[in-house]
């Protein structure tokens, strides 16, 4: 197997003067050559700080070019990266840093304002992400010494042939990625270089990229989806990466798309659904448009116009929209299919670094999440996998080694014969397309023994008028829909609308999964960093 760092090394040498990393609306900017030089300087700093091969280096901060530099330097120095989401609470950050056995911590300014360094006594060196300067260390290090050593090693200047990444450590631990900020029993996913390499190969084999293309990095780099497909895979092909370093807002995101013109966008359903509800549905739901939408030749003209408008919203040069993290709303997906938009819905999990399923847009089956990727096996734990739902089980080169210092959780997630339990329920059709029904832990058992998947009910509920998002819960043997409404200025009017929605919704559902009531909530549901609703908070 080709090491992902070999891809990146070759990409740096081939794209030496091409743009590599840029902080969108910021001052930090690197070409591929400058990025490689900065990485090398940082490895010299590690040497002076007493950081050795196999030591753990934690990174906690918002997306930015120097986050990427810190990651590459740690990989080049054969250290293990510990990625911690900046949105975690200060107490969770302390706990995860302690649990990881990290020796050094890169910390961003937004996080630094919420934590106290003296509460992490095991950390020997604190480094500021924004300028890669040593804030505090048990060893004295100065910039002049680093520069002198660099000049001694590269007296003729740093050149493409001087770039060398380790490639003999495929089965060594590369990354510990924490999936939760819980202080109870932290789950740090142990990812190897083989896991990462398999994912990069998948991307390069099926969606090759090059130095003529750009991308907006908006998913957290401390999350596997963002780290792999908005950073490592992009560098392997020579893409120019723009990092959104501020809090994401719809206006900032749309501006970034228009300025950067990304060839690819990786996102979660929430972002796409918001764009449709604000920009697309108000147009196509007008009475005369509804009629013409299915009436040739007007249907082609209108759908082409909507396609063009959506393409413009994403920066005009979009070649592929990849959606993951949760199921896409059925009405939104049907519309994208009707206008022949280049989208696909994938499936992955942190424990698989992260990719499990993918398919080209022109081959993608409606409502599926693609087919199992190369170097992976997938099966459904069911007597009839094509018709009867069962838990999705997987094994292969993408699968993690286990959870760091958590043997019990590791044993629980693997079967006796080595298959990883995904916790997702689904089926696989005769062509190999995977269709997810919901999470095992979310499934509700009906009064007559039927399996009820709240995600399927929520998908229909979210398509009704005035509904922004919803969570379906069980109370006393009955199903209740919790709804965050679009308009909260006239509560009585919204309640009347929800009464009508309740009737419409139940007409779309079988009797055993109909809901008894819709209850309004006055604020958005709390989300994880990948914008999935924290369902466990709602009862």
């Amino acid at each position: 197997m080709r090491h992902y760092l070999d891809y990146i090394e070759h990409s740096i040498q081939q794209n030496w003067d091409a743009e590599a990393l840029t902080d969108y609306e910021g001052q930090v900017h690197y070409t591929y050559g400058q990025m490689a030089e900065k990485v090398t300087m940082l490895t010299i700093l590690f040497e002076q700080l007493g950081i050795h091969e196999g030591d753990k280096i934690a990174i906690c901060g918002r997306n930015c070019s120097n986050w990427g530099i810190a990651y590459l330097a740690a990989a080049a120095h054969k250290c293990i990266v510990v990625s911690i989401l900046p949105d975690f609470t200060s107490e969770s950050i302390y706990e995860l840093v302690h649990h990881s056995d990290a020796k050094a911590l890169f910390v961003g300014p937004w996080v630094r304002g919420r934590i106290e360094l003296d509460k992490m006594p095991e950390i020997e060196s604190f480094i500021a992400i924004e300028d890669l300067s040593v804030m505090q260390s048990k060893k004295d290090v100065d910039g002049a010494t680093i520069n002198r050593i660099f000049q001694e090693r590269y007296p003729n200047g740093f050149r493409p042939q001087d770039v060398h990444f380790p490639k003999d450590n495929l089965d060594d631990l590369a990354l510990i990625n924490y999936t939760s900020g819980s202080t109870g029993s932290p789950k740090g996913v142990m990812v190897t270089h083989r896991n990462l390499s398999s994912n990069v190969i998948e991307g390069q084999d099926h969606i090759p990229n090059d130095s003529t293309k750009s991308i907006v990095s908006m998913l957290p780099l401390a999350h596997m989806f963002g780290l792999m497909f908005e950073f490592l895979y992009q560098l392997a092909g020579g893409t120019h990466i723009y990092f959104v370093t501020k809090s994401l807002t719809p206006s900032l995101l749309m501006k970034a798309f228009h300025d950067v013109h990304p060839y690819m966008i990786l996102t979660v359903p929430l972002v796409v659904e918001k764009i449709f509800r604000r920009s697309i549905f108000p147009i196509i739901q007008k009475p005369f448009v509804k009629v013409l939408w299915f009436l040739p030749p007007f249907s082609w003209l209108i759908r082409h116009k909507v396609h063009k408008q959506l393409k413009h919203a994403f920066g005009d040069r979009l070649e592929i929209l990849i959606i993951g993290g949760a199921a896409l709303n059925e009405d939104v997906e049907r519309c994208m299919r009707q206008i022949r938009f280049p989208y696909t819905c994938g499936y992955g999990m942190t424990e698989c670094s992260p990719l499990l399923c993918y398919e080209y847009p022109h081959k993608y089956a409606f409502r599926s999440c693609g087919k199992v990727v190369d170097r992976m096996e997938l099966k459904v734990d069911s007597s009839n996998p094509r018709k009867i739902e069962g838990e999705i089980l997987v094994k292969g080169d993408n699968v993690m080694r286990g959870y760091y210092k958590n043997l019990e959780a590791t044993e629980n997630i693997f079967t006796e014969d080595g298959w990883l339990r995904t916790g997702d329920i689904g089926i696989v059709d005769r062509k190999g397309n995977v269709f997810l029904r919901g999470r095992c832990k979310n499934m509700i058992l009906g009064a007559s023994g039927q399996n009820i998947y709240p995600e399927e009910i929520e998908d229909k509920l979210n398509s009704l008028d005035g509904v922004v998002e919803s969570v379906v819960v069980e109370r006393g043997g009955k199903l209740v829909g919790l709804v965050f409404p679009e308009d909260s200025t006239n509560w009585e009017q919204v309640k009347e609308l929800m009464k009508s929605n309740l009737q419409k919704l139940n007409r779309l559902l079988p009797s055993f999964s109909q809901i008894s009531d819709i209850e309004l909530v006055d604020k958005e549901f709390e989300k994880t960093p990948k914008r999935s609703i924290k369902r466990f908070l709602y009862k």
Side-chain angles (χ1 to χ4, degrees):
M1 178 183 289
R2 185 178 177 186
H3 202 298
Y4 80 97
L5 290 174
D6 187 43
Y7 278 96
I8 294 176
E9 179 182 304
H10 180 75
S11 178
I12 290 171
Q13 293 166 345
Q14 293 295 114
N15 303 295
W16 191 254
D17 295 318
E19 312 289 350
L21 311 177
T22 297
D23 286 357
Y24 178 68
E25 294 188 334
Q27 302 299 315
V28 181
H29 168 81
Y30 300 103
T31 63
Y32 273 82
Q34 291 168 340
M35 176 183 74
E37 182 173 321
K38 201 73 174 178
V39 166
T40 303
M41 294 279 284
L42 206 48
T43 60
I44 296 174
L45 173 63
F46 292 162
E47 293 172 10
Q48 299 304 301
L49 291 174
I51 298 171
H52 305 292
E53 177 182 333
D55 285 341
K56 299 176 183 69
I57 297 176
I59 310 176
C60 187
R62 286 180 168 174
N63 284 16
C64 63
S65 298
N66 282 337
W67 199 110
I69 295 288
Y71 176 93
L72 292 174
H77 203 56
K78 285 193 170 182
C79 291
I80 299 163
V81 173
V82 177
S83 56
I84 300 176
L85 286 158
D87 302 292
F88 284 162
T89 65
S90 57
E91 290 302 321
S92 290
I93 292 172
Y94 302 146
E95 173 64 19
L96 298 183
V97 165
H98 171 72
H99 183 266
S100 71
D101 302 312
K103 191 172 182 178
L105 172 65
F106 284 85
V107 59
W110 187 73
V111 175
R112 202 158 58 242
R114 300 185 291 111
I115 63 173
E116 298 173 45
L117 302 188
D118 59 7
K119 290 191 175 182
M120 294 173 280
E122 55 272 272
I123 296 294
E124 296 181 6
S125 301
F126 293 93
I127 304 170
I129 290 179
E130 63 269 25
D131 60 5
L132 302 177
S133 64
V134 178
M135 300 159 44
Q136 185 176 308
S137 177
K138 294 180 180 179
K139 291 200 174 184
D140 292 331
V141 178
D142 63 87
T145 301
I146 305 299
N147 289 328
R148 177 180 56 77
I149 296 172
F150 182 82
Q151 289 169 6
E152 288 173 355
R153 292 182 184 177
Y154 307 101
N156 299 316
F158 193 71
R159 299 167 297 177
Q161 58 266 37
D162 295 319
V163 179
H164 299 290
F165 284 102
K167 311 174 197 70
D168 60 347
N169 57 346
L170 272 174
D171 293 309
D172 289 350
L173 188 58
L175 170 73
I176 299 175
N177 186 271
Y178 284 96
T179 61
S180 168
S182 168
T183 58
S185 184
K187 291 169 70 175
V189 176
M190 295 191 289
V191 177
T192 67
H193 291 285
R194 182 179 296 277
N195 300 152
L196 299 176
S197 298
S198 181
N199 274 266
V200 167
I201 292 169
E202 180 73 20
Q204 293 300 325
D205 284 351
H206 296 283
I207 324 171
N209 49 348
D210 56 57
S211 60
T212 65
K213 297 175 179 177
S214 299
I215 190 170
V216 175
S217 172
M218 55 180 171
L219 299 171
L221 285 171
H223 193 277
M224 281 306 307
F225 192 19
L227 176 68
M228 176 52 63
F229 291 104
E230 288 186 344
F231 182 58
L232 297 179
Y233 151 70
Q234 303 298 341
L235 286 184
T239 301
H240 183 189
I241 306 170
Y242 287 83
F243 296 98
V244 178
T245 61
K246 305 173 184 175
S247 295
L248 285 178
T249 62
S251 58
L252 176 61
L253 209 49
M254 293 302 105
K255 185 176 184 298
F257 291 155
H258 281 283
D259 291 343
V260 174
H261 309 293
Y263 83 101
M264 172 191 287
I265 291 176
L266 298 107
T267 189
V268 292
L270 187 66
V271 173
V272 180
E273 290 164 8
K274 280 188 175 181
I275 291 172
F276 266 77
R277 288 195 174 96
R278 292 178 181 179
S279 306
I280 306 299
F281 284 161
I283 297 173
I284 66 176
Q285 288 175 349
K286 292 179 180 178
F288 76 95
V289 176
K290 276 186 176 181
V291 174
L292 298 179
W293 189 258
F294 296 99
L295 187 65
F298 304 105
S299 58
W300 183 88
L301 293 171
I302 292 174
R303 292 181 187 190
H304 177 71
K305 185 175 181 179
V306 172
H307 177 113
K308 190 174 180 180
Q309 181 176 336
L310 188 58
K311 202 81 169 279
H312 180 68
F314 288 129
D316 290 317
R317 296 180 195 168
L318 188 69
E319 298 174 16
I320 182 169
L321 175 68
I322 301 177
I323 303 165
L328 181 64
N329 177 265
E330 185 172 351
D331 288 345
V332 171
E333 184 175 351
R334 182 175 289 106
C335 181
M336 284 206 290
R337 200 170 185 84
Q338 290 169 339
I339 65 176
R340 297 184 179 181
F341 202 75
Y343 83 99
T344 187
C345 295
Y347 168 44
M349 60 190 298
T350 304
E351 288 83 351
C352 292
S353 323
L355 199 56
L356 282 173
C357 295
Y358 174 81
E359 183 56 283
Y360 295 108
H362 64 281
K363 293 182 178 180
Y364 168 77
F366 182 66
R367 302 307 289 159
S368 77
C369 58
K371 299 182 178 76
V372 66
V373 297
D374 299 340
R375 295 169 298 280
M376 288 292 290
E377 298 176 64
L378 181 149
K379 68 178 182 179
V380 176
D381 187 13
S382 162
S383 58
N384 186 348
R386 293 183 185 175
K387 294 183 179 180
I388 302 175
E389 298 99 338
E391 184 175 10
I392 305 288
L393 306 177
V394 297
K395 67 164 51 174
D397 284 339
N398 292 14
V399 177
M400 67 167 183
R401 180 183 294 178
Y403 295 114
Y404 186 62
K405 296 196 303 190
N406 196 331
L407 182 60
E408 182 181 0
T410 300
E411 291 177 344
N412 288 339
I413 201 170
F414 286 101
T415 64
E416 290 184 2
D417 53 350
W419 290 84
L420 182 137
R421 309 176 194 271
T422 66
D424 293 307
I425 298 289
I427 59 172
V428 180
D429 71 11
R430 61 183 180 84
K431 294 183 179 180
N433 297 301
V434 178
F435 296 84
L436 298 180
R437 295 291 184 253
R439 294 285 294 167
C440 294
K441 62 184 179 182
N442 296 339
M443 189 192 78
I444 299 169
L445 191 64
S448 300
Q450 306 95 335
N451 292 341
I452 301 170
Y453 300 103
E455 296 93 338
E456 294 183 344
I457 303 173
E458 291 157 7
D459 184 69
K460 292 179 171 58
L461 181 52
N462 292 344
S463 296
L464 298 177
D465 292 342
V467 178
V468 174
E469 55 187 5
S470 64
V471 174
V472 171
V473 299
E474 181 185 21
R475 289 180 184 168
K478 294 183 178 180
L479 300 178
V480 176
L482 309 181
V483 167
F484 174 60
E486 191 171 23
D487 178 18
S488 57
T489 58
N490 190 330
W491 214 241
E492 291 305 315
Q493 188 174 331
V494 173
K495 287 181 179 179
E496 289 302 312
L497 175 60
M498 293 305 147
K499 287 181 181 178
S500 173
N501 280 344
L502 180 61
Q503 296 176 349
K504 292 178 182 178
L505 175 65
N506 284 336
R507 284 198 290 268
L508 301 173
L509 299 170
S511 58
F512 65 82
S513 64
Q514 291 181 356
I515 67 173
S516 61
D517 190 21
I518 290 179
E519 182 179 299
L520 298 173
V521 298
D522 58 3
K523 61 181 179 180
E524 284 193 30
F525 296 108
E526 287 196 40
K527 312 279 195 318
T528 66
K530 69 172 184 175
R531 306 300 295 163
S532 298
I533 294 172
K534 294 182 178 179
R535 309 179 65 93
F536 64 90
L537 295 177
Y538 303 96
K539 303 295 181 182

